[in-house]
Amino acid sequence: MRERLDRQGWSYGEVARRGGIPRSTVHHLATTERLVRMPQPATLEGLSRGLDLPLDALRRAAAEACGINVYADAKEPASPTSPADPEVDLLIASVQKLSSDDRRHVAALVESLLERAPETD
């Protein structure tokens, strides 16, 4: 985000105005080394408009800033035009709030569900 601001010569205020989000939010997200939680979907949409970047790229960057590894699905390449799945966004944003013990339980459940899912080729 900082790189984009510097390259375009945009201020926090300009990005905020273009995206319809508070300047303080743009400043916080641009200057925070590691995010504690995922920004709200509306915030990411505003940043997408304000920074003139694809929403998917901002989602991935925000997830990585939260310490969440994002892997592209080899069968379905990421596309900036594909609609977001609010259930996936909610899961990603919520899982970081769980204790490490609860995250292990969730991971085990997901692995179990994936193992029993039929292969689709």
Side-chain angles (χ1 to χ4, degrees):
M1 192 170 157
R2 281 283 335 141
E3 183 180 311
R4 180 74 171 172
L5 287 166
D6 292 342
R7 192 171 346 129
Q8 297 297 331
W10 292 333
S11 67
Y12 302 132
E14 187 172 352
V15 171
R17 181 188 51 75
R18 291 166 42 107
I21 56 177
R23 181 196 175 284
S24 60
T25 299
V26 175
H27 177 269
H28 171 73
L29 294 173
T31 59
T32 300
E33 190 73 26
R34 180 145 171 115
L35 296 177
V36 176
R37 61 185 171 90
M38 279 289 287
Q40 295 295 315
T43 300
L44 291 174
E45 290 166 7
L47 280 174
S48 174
R49 287 188 307 272
L51 293 168
D52 194 28
L53 290 172
L55 182 56
D56 189 53
L58 284 168
R59 274 196 199 102
R60 287 181 181 280
E64 289 173 8
C66 289
I68 300 168
N69 293 321
V70 180
Y71 302 98
D73 185 347
K75 295 178 185 174
E76 294 182 31
S79 165
T81 58
S82 64
D85 185 339
E87 289 179 350
V88 172
D89 288 344
L90 176 64
L91 285 169
I92 290 171
S94 300
V95 77
Q96 64 197 2
K97 296 178 184 177
L98 298 175
S99 69
S100 60
D101 214 27
D102 288 343
R103 284 192 302 270
R104 280 193 295 276
H105 289 295
V106 171
L109 173 62
V110 169
E111 287 175 10
S112 171
L113 291 170
L114 291 174
E115 286 173 4
R116 70 178 195 173
E119 294 260 341
T120 56
D121 291 329

